[in-house]
């Protein structure tokens, strides 16, 4: 398993439970992942080293967690060496690696999404801005760790975002900018697995991107999530599969770049129906944590069936009816410059909860913070409210003086549950 964040800890935790997993390696991993896997010092940018290690160890499946190695073509290098890999090719990973690519594909395939324009220089972007009403969405075209999206409420904010992106704040990711119509509604995340031909749904979630309670403050990589998202009803899920997921898989295959892996659709549930905000080519973080907490059955066999193009030969994935909720504990200063080195002591967890480590390290035998998002404290319950209570009980038992979290994760669903109980 490749990667070292909270998403990868959740994957390693679930992979290690598989009867078919005789040994598990992780690169680079983290102290939490080390509880389930042997950590390996591999540079994921050096494809030859990764391939050589997999050959030497007789690896039967490689699971690539983060998006950057996928966009970099690591899955292509592994497939060329006949090593089964879960994750799309570099060409297919453009669905996340280039927002403009995805918008153009949506336009060609008739997939519902926001109106947009692509701009390769600031002057053009400022001119094109006149065609949009406020608020307006400004996006860096490439990968930006979940932070390259600005919702500008005023013309001045939009112009500042354009200047910032073309000025190099996001490096090469901001060399092109996408300007989008602002969509109104509630956001939800939908996941599907595909081997390039066959497609199966893999659950829903709702993320909390803003750093502050009440969804205030700057965007982050995600401060918490819960699954399932009840606003994404079975009827809406069928609509998303029919109007977005299946047409996307078909369009990618027709372009000679079949998509294999997990397809993560970020959706806006508008008055006109679901519209695609963006695609991601990997499990979300922290969405993966709640999905793995709910997943029943053998993850190794499921992902291997995707990697080997035989998804149609197995039964559909099963997720527990019990909801799961995760609370991200972040380091003081996040999403700006997080304070590293703070000591962490974790409580024991039971069958209905787990603390997935993300930005952690060991220093002189002690667990310390080593990143922005440090922990994903995750619980399952018979309702989102119950899962919330279990997660925050674990959060309160964590000893980490430099950490903070939002105290309102799942607030929309909890309000719906309370209303339904009246």
């Amino acid at each position: 398993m490749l990667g070292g964040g909270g998403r990868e800890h959740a994957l390693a935790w679930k992979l290690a439970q598989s009867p078919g997993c005789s040994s598990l390696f992780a690169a680079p991993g983290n102290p939490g992942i080390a509880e389930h896997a042997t950590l390996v010092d591999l540079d994921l940018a050096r494809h030859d080293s990764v391939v050589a290690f997999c050959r030497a160890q007789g690896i039967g499946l490689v699971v690539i967690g983060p998006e950057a190695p996928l966009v970099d073509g690591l899955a292509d290098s592994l497939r060329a060496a006949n090593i089964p890999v879960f994750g799309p090719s570099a060409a297919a990973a453009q669905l996340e690696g280039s927002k403009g690519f995805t918008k153009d594909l949506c336009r060609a395939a008739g997939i519902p999404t926001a109106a947009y324009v692509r701009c390769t220089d600031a002057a053009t972007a400022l001119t094109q801005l006149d065609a949009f009403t406020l608020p307006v969405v400004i996006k860096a075209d490439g990968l930006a760790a979940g932070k390259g999206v600005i919702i500008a409420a005023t013309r001045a904010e939009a112009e500042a975002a354009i200047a910032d992106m073309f000025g190099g704040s996001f490096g090469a990711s901001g060399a092109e900018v996408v300007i989008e119509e602002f969509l109104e509604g509630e956001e939800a995340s939908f996941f599907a697995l595909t081997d390039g031909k066959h497609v199966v749904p893999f659950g829903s979630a709702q993320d909390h991107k803003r750093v502050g309670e009440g969804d205030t403050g700057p965007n982050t990589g995600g401060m918490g999530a819960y699954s399932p998202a009840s606003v994404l009803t079975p009827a809406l899920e069928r609509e998303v599969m029919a109007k977005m997921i299946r047409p996307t898989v078909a369009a990618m295959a027709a372009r000679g770049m079949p998509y294999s892996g997990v397809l993560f659709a970020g959706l806006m549930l508008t008055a006109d129906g679901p519209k695609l905000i963006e695609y991601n080519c990997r499990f979300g973080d922290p969405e993966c944590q709640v999905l793995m907490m709910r997943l029943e059955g053998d993850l190794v066999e499921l992902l291997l069936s995707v990697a080997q193009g035989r998804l149609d030969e197995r039964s559909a994935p099963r997720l527990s009816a019990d909801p799961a909720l995760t609370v991200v504990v972040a380091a003081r200063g996040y999403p700006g410059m997080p304070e590293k080195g703070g000591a962490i002591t974790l409580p024991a967890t039971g069958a209905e909860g787990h603390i997935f480590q993300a930005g952690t390290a060991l220093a002189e035998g002690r667990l310390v913070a080593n990143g922005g998002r440090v922990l994903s404290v995750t619980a399952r319950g018979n309702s989102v409210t119950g899962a919330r209570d279990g997660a925050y009980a674990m959060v309160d038992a964590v000893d980490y003086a430099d950490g903070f979290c939002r105290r309102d994760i799942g607030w929309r669903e909890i309000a719906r549950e309370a209303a339904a109980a009246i």
Side-chain angles (χ1 to χ4, degrees):
M1 208 223 39
L2 303 180
R7 166 183 49 225
E8 288 77 31
H9 188 179
L11 289 169
W13 173 77
K14 195 64 181 178
L15 289 167
Q17 297 173 29
S18 170
C21 183
S22 57
S23 59
L24 181 62
F25 298 91
N30 65 41
I33 293 172
E35 298 173 6
H36 316 289
T38 301
L39 302 191
V40 183
D41 184 15
L42 287 175
D43 182 353
L44 303 191
R46 292 193 56 194
H47 297 189
D48 55 343
S49 297
V50 177
V51 168
F53 175 84
C54 292
R55 281 177 168 161
Q57 296 294 331
I59 299 297
L61 173 67
V62 178
V63 178
I64 302 177
E67 61 273 22
L70 293 168
V71 172
D72 188 44
L74 182 53
D76 301 84
S77 298
L78 290 162
R79 287 194 181 96
N82 295 315
I83 298 167
V85 56
F86 179 82
S89 66
Q94 289 181 90
L95 283 174
E96 179 167 3
S98 171
K99 296 176 179 65
F101 173 89
T102 298
K103 299 295 286 190
D104 288 350
L105 181 139
C106 288
R107 177 182 284 165
I111 294 168
T113 189
Y116 74 102
V117 293
R118 300 176 69 171
C119 305
T120 56
D121 62 83
T124 302
L126 292 173
T127 301
Q128 293 288 345
L129 200 54
D130 294 333
F132 293 84
T133 57
L134 295 170
V136 64
V137 183
I138 314 294
K139 295 181 177 181
D141 180 70
L143 298 180
K147 300 173 186 176
V149 178
I150 303 296
I151 300 173
T154 66
R155 173 81 186 204
E157 289 178 6
E159 291 179 355
I162 290 168
D164 201 33
M165 290 179 187
F166 283 115
S169 291
F170 296 98
S173 297
E176 182 174 331
V177 164
V178 174
I179 303 175
E180 279 189 17
E181 165 197 18
F182 176 77
L183 296 176
E184 302 234 19
E186 190 165 342
E187 289 190 45
S189 301
F190 181 76
F191 299 82
L193 299 180
T194 176
D195 59 13
K197 294 182 180 178
H198 314 100
V199 190
V200 296
F202 193 72
S204 65
Q206 194 163 58
D207 187 15
H208 297 65
K209 285 291 186 191
R210 301 281 188 168
V211 72
E213 293 178 15
D215 295 325
T216 58
N219 271 335
T220 72
M223 293 300 293
Y226 66 90
S227 174
S230 72
V231 290
L232 205 53
T233 63
L236 285 176
E237 287 193 3
R238 290 192 294 270
E239 184 177 348
V240 170
M241 285 288 287
K243 294 184 177 179
M244 296 181 191
I245 305 297
R246 294 188 191 281
T248 297
V249 171
M252 294 297 285
R255 293 181 179 207
M257 47 183 76
Y259 190 98
S260 175
V262 60
L263 192 56
F264 164 9
L267 308 171
M268 185 67 77
L269 306 182
T270 76
D272 298 323
K275 293 190 178 183
L276 182 73
I277 300 172
E278 64 182 6
Y279 275 132
N280 293 311
C281 61
R282 36 69 192 182
F283 287 108
D285 187 346
E287 294 93 341
C288 184
Q289 289 85 313
V290 287
L291 290 172
M292 292 303 113
M293 186 62 71
R294 293 183 60 221
L295 180 65
E296 299 176 344
D298 189 333
L299 181 61
V300 169
E301 173 52 31
L302 177 61
L303 302 190
L304 188 59
S305 71
V306 173
Q308 294 179 336
R310 51 181 183 83
L311 186 56
D312 60 322
E313 297 177 7
R314 57 158 292 120
S315 57
R318 302 189 314 276
L319 290 112
S320 169
D322 288 342
L325 182 144
T326 190
V327 178
V328 169
V329 178
R332 187 185 295 122
Y334 181 78
M337 188 65 68
E339 296 183 14
K340 297 183 180 182
I344 304 167
T345 302
L346 300 179
T349 57
E352 296 303 307
H354 200 84
I355 298 176
F356 298 112
Q357 297 183 35
T360 62
L362 290 176
E364 299 179 354
R366 293 200 67 187
L367 188 67
V368 300
N370 191 44
R373 293 185 296 164
V374 179
L375 306 170
S376 290
V377 183
T378 311
R380 193 170 63 185
N382 57 12
S383 64
V384 173
T385 303
R388 183 273 312 270
D389 293 345
Y392 280 112
M394 287 191 290
V395 167
D396 292 338
V398 171
D399 183 1
Y400 173 36
D402 294 336
F404 76 94
C405 69
R406 281 182 56 168
R407 285 279 167 178
D408 63 347
I409 301 302
W411 66 270
R412 291 181 183 86
E413 192 63 23
I414 289 163
R416 283 189 278 263
E417 289 181 348
I422 296 174

